[in-house]
Amino acid sequence: MALADAMAGLPSVGWVTEPSPVTRLPELARHLGLASLDVKRDDLLPGLHGGNKLRKLDVLLATPPFQDAPRIASLGAIGSGHLAACTAAAAALGKELHAHMFNEPLSEGVLENLAFVASGHSTITFYGSRFEVGLRKPALVLAPVVDGVPMIPPGGTLPAAVAGFARAGFELKAQIDAGLLEAPDVVYCALGTAGTAAGLALGLGMAGVRAEVRDVSTVERVFATNRAMRKVIEGAARWLQEHGVDGDARQALRVRIVRSQLGRGYGIPTAQSIAAIEVMRSEGVPGEPVYTGKAFAALLADAARHKAGQRV
């Protein structure tokens, strides 16, 4: 309990005040041969354009240098949910956002997020690709401050933000203890910049949940390695210790990177991810094909191949 209280006492803007609900899918679980299938609905978190980026920004923007900065900057694709969340966060805090955006293929949700960023208190610098970012302005991925403005890296993956997502592990443990879902054997999530996956593995492990985290890669192998994942987990654990939480990276759950759903590359939907979100929608759960769709496609593929009876 003391550890959970310490996690609840981390610096916070105050945006995450209630647990996101859990949707149970018993009929689909039976169809797939699973003991149970539950979806943590961070899309129903209040404000900031929906999605789980709220958890990261809630802690990150309550800490220096972002806390007192009148302007913040970040980098992402034109359809980045992270940049959309940063746009909403900047508006809520009376800040300005400088959005550095690189091109990605158009798919469901991309134009919506782009329009949201463009309509906010934002200035936009456009780059033709991720590689053009590296050639034109490498500081965007290497430096904590760019042009005098504090820089949030892609996906918001800084130790404070990852620690913010680790709080979700304790939130889920409390929902398990309350009987809202069964303790899972396997947890699936999408893997991009590793912040969500690392925070979830660390938080669940610290909270005492024993499961395997399967991180379904949405980026090329060079951007998603076990070594990089470990570095993100260790950085978050150190940050927690510095802020009075007795956490240890060795408590993090086992993470398995799944690479079978990437397809032709980042930002490009696959036939499997498009089919997966249609299955989700038939169950009343929304999704998009670049992240959630690929994670759910991995679940469907595993269920077709592996032993029955797992709680997911």
Side-chain angles (χ1 to χ4, degrees):
M1 179 61 69
L3 189 56
D5 290 342
M7 291 292 288
L10 292 175
S12 170
V13 175
W15 288 329
V16 183
T17 58
E18 298 290 337
S20 63
V22 173
T23 294
R24 310 210 68 178
L25 303 177
E27 291 185 10
L28 183 57
R30 283 193 292 272
H31 176 73
L32 296 176
L34 302 172
S36 63
L37 177 58
D38 305 297
V39 183
K40 188 84 163 95
R41 297 293 302 277
D42 275 12
D43 60 304
L44 297 179
L45 285 171
L48 293 206
H49 206 58
N52 61 23
K53 301 302 181 185
L54 178 67
R55 297 188 182 276
K56 295 181 177 182
L57 295 174
D58 185 44
V59 174
L60 182 64
L61 295 180
T63 61
F66 306 103
Q67 184 178 23
D68 299 321
R71 299 188 71 206
I72 56 175
S74 194
L75 169 68
I78 58 172
S80 169
H82 163 68
L83 285 180
C86 284
T87 300
L93 297 174
K95 301 178 185 292
E96 293 183 4
L97 172 70
H98 189 163
H100 297 269
M101 309 183 85
F102 55 83
N103 195 41
E104 69 172 318
L106 293 181
S107 62
E108 188 171 343
V110 169
L111 289 179
E112 178 186 353
N113 283 345
L114 175 59
F116 187 84
V117 175
S119 67
H121 294 246
S122 311
T123 56
I124 296 175
T125 301
F126 176 74
Y127 306 83
S129 67
R130 287 175 292 167
F131 304 103
E132 185 179 327
V133 173
L135 291 173
R136 283 177 54 190
K137 201 147 191 168
L140 292 175
V141 293
L142 298 173
V145 177
V146 177
D147 299 328
V149 180
M151 184 73 193
I152 302 174
T157 300
L158 287 171
V162 178
F165 209 91
R167 293 192 304 180
F170 285 81
E171 180 180 300
L172 190 60
K173 177 63 163 64
Q175 291 176 309
I176 293 169
D177 291 343
L180 298 178
L181 73 159
E182 297 181 59
D185 300 308
V186 183
V187 177
Y188 287 83
C189 70
L191 172 60
T193 60
T196 296
L200 192 59
L202 179 60
L204 286 172
M206 290 172 59
V209 177
R210 294 290 169 255
E212 177 185 81
V213 178
R214 292 185 188 164
D215 294 332
V216 183
S217 184
T218 66
V219 294
E220 294 78 6
R221 181 179 291 267
V222 67
F223 300 115
T225 65
N226 289 306
R227 181 178 179 181
M229 175 71 68
R230 197 69 199 169
K231 184 177 179 181
V232 174
I233 291 173
E234 290 171 352
R238 285 193 300 270
W239 188 92
L240 285 171
Q241 290 169 358
E242 293 166 0
H243 288 77
V245 179
D246 188 19
D248 191 318
R250 291 172 294 184
Q251 294 173 280
L253 297 183
R254 178 176 179 265
V255 174
R256 192 173 107 197
I257 298 177
V258 178
R259 304 187 188 279
S260 58
Q261 300 299 323
L262 176 61
R264 292 191 292 121
Y266 172 74
I268 304 174
T270 64
Q272 292 84 357
S273 72
I274 293 170
I277 62 172
E278 290 305 316
V279 173
M280 293 174 65
R281 286 172 179 168
S282 71
E283 298 289 331
V285 179
E288 45 67 45
V290 172
Y291 292 99
T292 310
K294 291 184 178 181
F296 205 75
L299 161 62
L300 296 177
D302 286 347
R305 290 194 305 265
H306 295 164
K307 62 182 180 181
Q310 286 191 319
R311 297 166 297 181
V312 176

